[in-house]
Amino acid sequence: MTPSGIISIAATLSLAILGLAFLVTIFRVVAGPTLPDRVLGLDMLVAVAIGFIAVIAVKTGFALYIDIAIALGLVGFLATVAFARFILAQAPQSGRGHGEKTVTQKVGKGQGKARNMRKVANRRGQGGRGQGSKGKA
């Protein structure tokens, strides 16, 4: 068996496996119970398409296909980030569970306490930089 014959068999086998992965992923996109499942399915479709392009590039020996696969990967990544931001924007703010708070709520609360402490210290005359204590003997 020649090396070109081995590459041809491997390319055909990998195209068949990628085709099966493509069908299973399409099923997940269509039947996915939640929106994040569908977004992950679309991201997987991009990965399978990149695999198709790479196998065809190896089979034909035309290296320009690799550049197309890289561009598709970049576009797919940006689409996944955009979908993730969309999902976060659609998430309900209340009903997160048993008293769970978001990161911004935790940080905001801590910053509010520090701000209030500075206000109290300023009222007492203790909060200025290098001002010392005002009105105390």
Side-chain angles (χ1 to χ4, degrees):
M1 189 171 271
T2 64
S4 63
I6 294 173
I7 289 177
S8 176
I9 291 172
T12 304
L13 182 64
S14 48
L15 285 174
I17 292 171
L18 284 168
L20 180 65
F22 189 79
L23 291 175
V24 171
T25 305
I26 286 178
F27 173 75
R28 176 52 54 200
V29 170
V30 172
T34 62
L35 184 61
D37 289 330
R38 289 185 171 101
V39 170
L40 285 174
L42 290 173
D43 191 37
M44 188 63 194
L45 282 177
V46 170
V48 170
I50 290 171
F52 272 120
I53 293 170
V55 170
I56 290 172
V58 169
K59 192 171 183 177
T60 62
F62 197 55
L64 185 63
Y65 286 130
I66 301 299
D67 295 334
I68 295 169
I70 290 171
L72 179 61
L74 291 172
V75 171
F77 171 74
L78 291 175
T80 302
V81 170
F83 279 133
R85 289 183 57 93
F86 174 73
I87 290 171
L88 283 176
Q90 296 297 321
Q93 294 300 322
S94 62
R96 288 194 167 269
H98 304 287
E100 271 186 57
K101 294 183 179 177
T102 62
V103 174
T104 55
Q105 288 172 336
K106 289 178 184 176
V107 171
K109 188 174 183 181
Q111 289 175 350
K113 282 183 180 178
R115 190 177 307 119
N116 289 338
M117 290 173 63
R118 283 192 300 266
K119 286 180 183 177
V120 170
N122 284 335
R123 279 188 226 136
R124 291 183 183 162
Q126 300 169 357
R129 291 185 182 166
Q131 293 176 352
S133 59
K134 296 180 182 176
K136 289 194 176 182

